[in-house]
């Protein structure tokens, strides 16, 4: 069914979702990275960005939190921009692992077939691919420029988070060297790991995430800066990567119940894409046992269900002023 709503209706719905979800209990801050354990668990924000460039916000949408695994979407886009869709499929892959984000088992099981840039192993591979290969400083500039272009403003490194992650990333160190063993890393493993750790330690707001999400929903055109950030043909590729593995081993359950391709991070952020309609982001630190924000999931589901938007069906919604 076709349905037209005003941006004011959407504003009311975003406020309603915030009010409904804000007292939801359950979940715990990530504690395997000490910095994340200390963040106020009551923070909660929802931001929706429309292709018109309008951003609708409720709650703590300007609080800067650790982007963590949502950064995997950004670097996946960067290597898609630099290499094209086929090379990313060949060098990393686009399969769901069905296993936790930091799984070593997944690498062993798929040793003849890479997985996806949206789990730790594939994300470290993606960082190794970033051009110019061999030059850490220039690679970091490419990563952060791409983040700015997608979000419409600079993201800033959270030094304390970077230190905290670097001091505790033993599992990821094993992943980087195991990838080397299977010829699935395309630059120095330690450098690739450090770039991955740094990109996860970038500070972002829910508002910035929603703008990046809308850039994906809007075929690569940033709705706020009006820059064509990536080729429109890459948009469905990015959304399909997000849809297949955005919630790791709970991706199927998430898609089945929400209908919204979305990517989570242990900092409490979730970025969701409804192609052609909007980008949505929510942030709240307490996570379920798979590492996905409890309130962010509930808020996105609430809004999607009330609008009846779903990439597998649902209504065709248009938002007017
Ligand atoms: O690699 C890690 O452990 C973190 N820097 C990121 C993990 C993460 O956000 C997983 N997502 N839910």
């Amino acid at each position: 069914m076709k349905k037209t709503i005003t941006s004011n209706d959407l504003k009311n719905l975003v406020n309603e979702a915030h009010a409904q979800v804000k007292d939801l209990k359950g979940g715990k801050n990530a504690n395997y990275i000490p910095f994340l354990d200390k963040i106020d668990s009551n923070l909660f924000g929802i931001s929706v960005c429309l292709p018109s460039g309008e951003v609708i916000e409720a709650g703590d949408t300007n609080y800067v939190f650790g982007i963590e695994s949502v950064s995997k979407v950004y670097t996946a886009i960067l290597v898609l921009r630099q290499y094209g869709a086929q090379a990313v499929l060949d060098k990393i892959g686009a399969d769901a692992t069905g296993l936790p984000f930091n799984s070593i088992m997944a690498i062993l099981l798929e040793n003849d077939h890479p997985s996806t840039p949206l789990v730790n192993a594939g994300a470290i591979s993606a960082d190794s691919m970033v051009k110019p290969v061999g030059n850490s400083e220039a690679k970091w500039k490419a990563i952060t420029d791409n983040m700015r272009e997608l979000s419409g403003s600079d993201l800033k490194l959270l030094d304390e988070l970077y230190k905290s992650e670097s001091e505790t990333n033993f599992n990821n160190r094993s992943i980087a060297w195991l990838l080397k063993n299977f010829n699935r890393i395309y630059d120095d493993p330690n450098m690739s790991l450090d770039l991955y750790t740094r990109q996860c330690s970038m500070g972002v707001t829910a508002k910035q995430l929603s703008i990046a999400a809308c850039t994906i929903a809007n075929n690569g055109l940033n709705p706020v800066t009006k820059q064509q950030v990536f080729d429109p043909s890459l948009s469905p590729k990015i959304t399909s990567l997000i849809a297949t593995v955005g919630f790791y081993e709970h991706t199927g359950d998430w898609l089945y119940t929400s209908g919204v391709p979305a990517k989570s991070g242990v900092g409490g952020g979730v970025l969701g894409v409804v192609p052609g309609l909007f980008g949505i982001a929510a942030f709240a630190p307490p996570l379920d046992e798979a590492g996905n924000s409890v309130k962010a999931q509930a808020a996105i589901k609430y809004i999607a269900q009330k609008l009846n938007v779903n990439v597998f069906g649902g209504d065709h919604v248009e938002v007017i002023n």
Side-chain angles (χ1 to χ4, degrees):
M1 192 176 88
K2 278 199 165 186
K3 199 159 76 184
T4 303
I5 61 165
T6 64
S7 61
N8 213 37
D9 295 333
L10 191 55
K11 228 171 262 171
N12 291 335
L13 178 57
V14 170
N15 284 328
E16 187 184 308
H18 190 270
Q20 288 290 328
V21 173
K22 78 175 180 351
D23 296 321
L24 187 66
K25 300 276 174 269
K28 278 203 307 259
N29 286 26
N31 57 12
Y32 75 103
I33 300 169
F35 175 89
L36 298 177
D37 201 18
K38 294 188 299 191
I39 307 290
D40 179 357
S41 304
N42 294 313
L43 289 162
F44 174 41
I46 311 172
S47 182
V48 176
C49 177
L50 298 168
S52 64
E54 185 177 359
V55 181
I56 296 170
E57 302 167 68
D60 303 307
T61 53
N62 288 308
Y63 182 85
V64 178
F65 59 93
I67 188 170
E68 296 295 347
S69 282
V70 187
S71 68
K72 291 167 178 157
V73 175
Y74 288 72
T75 304
I77 293 173
L78 177 58
V79 291
L80 282 165
R81 290 174 74 181
Q82 291 187 334
Y83 289 79
Q86 188 60 46
V88 171
L89 184 65
D90 295 343
K91 285 177 170 294
I92 303 177
D95 256 348
T97 61
L99 290 166
F101 61 89
N102 53 4
S103 177
I104 285 184
M105 180 83 79
I107 306 171
L108 298 172
L109 289 172
E110 301 203 59
N111 63 55
D112 61 337
H113 179 82
S115 57
T116 162
L118 300 194
V119 299
N120 288 20
I124 295 168
S125 267
D127 279 302
S128 77
M129 283 173 71
V130 169
K131 293 177 186 172
V133 170
N135 183 337
S136 169
E137 212 173 299
K139 281 167 83 108
W140 181 241
K141 183 174 179 328
I143 290 167
T144 50
D145 284 351
N146 177 63
M147 284 178 152
R148 181 185 57 251
E149 288 172 359
L150 288 166
S151 292
S153 53
D154 275 320
L155 274 60
K156 285 189 190 66
L157 187 70
L158 298 174
D159 293 309
E160 202 192 324
L161 178 57
Y162 175 46
K163 187 168 178 288
S164 194
E165 294 230 10
S166 302
E167 283 168 355
T168 53
N169 64 352
F170 310 115
N171 190 82
N172 288 341
R173 292 183 211 178
S174 314
I175 289 176
W177 283 96
L178 201 52
L179 289 170
K180 174 79 178 164
N181 187 54
F182 291 123
N183 294 321
R184 285 174 47 191
I185 198 146
Y186 309 101
D187 204 337
D188 178 74
N190 289 335
M191 184 217 286
S192 308
L193 171 68
D194 179 58
L195 290 167
Y196 169 76
T197 309
R198 253 194 279 173
Q199 75 173 40
C200 287
S201 309
M202 289 299 265
V204 73
T205 65
K207 181 177 181 179
Q208 286 177 311
L209 279 189
S210 73
I211 296 170
C214 191
T215 304
I216 302 167
N218 199 28
N219 291 316
L221 178 70
N222 184 311
V224 174
T225 63
K226 310 295 180 207
Q227 180 191 354
Q228 185 70 45
V229 180
F230 57 79
D231 192 88
S233 66
L234 295 178
S235 210
K237 305 294 183 208
I238 297 155
T239 309
S240 80
L241 288 172
I242 295 172
T244 45
V245 75
F247 278 74
Y248 308 110
E249 69 272 38
H250 290 316
T251 305
D253 287 356
W254 163 259
L255 264 190
Y256 188 90
T257 53
S258 73
V260 178
K263 180 75 203 80
S264 68
V266 292
V270 175
L271 164 159
V273 179
V274 181
L277 179 61
F278 58 49
I280 183 165
F283 155 66
L287 311 176
D288 64 18
E289 51 327 312
N292 304 313
S293 168
V294 173
K295 285 185 192 170
Q297 292 181 74
I300 294 173
K301 275 187 194 171
Y302 188 92
I303 292 167
Q305 280 160 9
K306 286 277 173 172
L307 289 174
N308 195 29
V309 292
N310 186 319
V311 291
F312 302 106
D315 288 340
H316 182 84
V317 177
E318 188 192 10
V319 184
I320 54 167
N321 259 323

